[in-house]
Structure formats: structure tokens, C-alpha cells
Amino acid sequence: MATVVRLTRMGRKKRPFYRIVVTDSRKRRDSGWIESIGYYNPMVEPEVVKFDAERLAYWKGVGAKLSDRVEQITSK
């Protein structure tokens, strides 16, 4: 199974809120996930990013790939 750490969209129309999740790369964006490790809220000023760095390091250690957006927001 190829795992990936990516964003899944929550919230309502025109008010997005994202969870940072670990999922199988073959699944759809908002379908089931293995573990939720944080969230990202781009709608407030300043943007809120909160995630469990220990769990992110674990998943990277076992071979999970980070999506481009997750890599961008976790490196801030």
C-alpha cells in the first residue's frame, strides 16, 4: 500500500478547512483515511496550521510521501 500525507477538505461552501491526514494514495481526496495528524485553516488571519510533528516524522520514516501542499505548510 502506498501511503501519502495530504489534505482532506472540510467546512462549508467557500469556507474551506482542511485536515492533514494519512491515507492510501489510491483513494479519493475526501474518502476514508488511516490517521488524522493535524489541521490547516487558511480562512483566518494569520493562517492556522497545527499538526503532530512526531506522528508526521513517524509516517515519513515508514515511507509515506507528502503532498506538495502539505510539504509547503509543514515547513513554515
Side-chain angles (χ1 to χ4, degrees), residues 30-43:
D30 296 335
S31 63
W33 33 268
I34 300 168
E35 181 181 3
S36 176
I37 60 173
Y39 62 87
Y40 168 57
N41 188 355
M43 299 305 293

Side-chain angles (χ1 to χ4, degrees), residues 2-58:
T3 54
V4 65
V5 180
R6 65 180 174 203
L7 299 175
T8 186
R9 189 169 197 248
M10 308 295 284
R12 59 185 183 185
K13 190 163 103 175
K14 299 189 182 190
R15 301 284 300 165
F17 176 88
Y18 300 94
R19 284 189 182 159
I20 302 170
V21 298
V22 179
T23 187
D24 184 346
S25 64
R26 296 168 292 189
K27 291 197 177 222
R28 293 185 191 175
R29 179 191 72 188
D30 296 335
S31 63
W33 33 268
I34 300 168
E35 181 181 3
S36 176
I37 60 173
Y39 62 87
Y40 168 57
N41 188 355
M43 299 305 293
V44 296
E45 191 60 43
E47 295 177 340
V48 176
V49 178
K50 187 168 184 167
F51 62 95
D52 187 348
E54 189 176 298
R55 292 304 293 166
L56 182 62
Y58 165 78

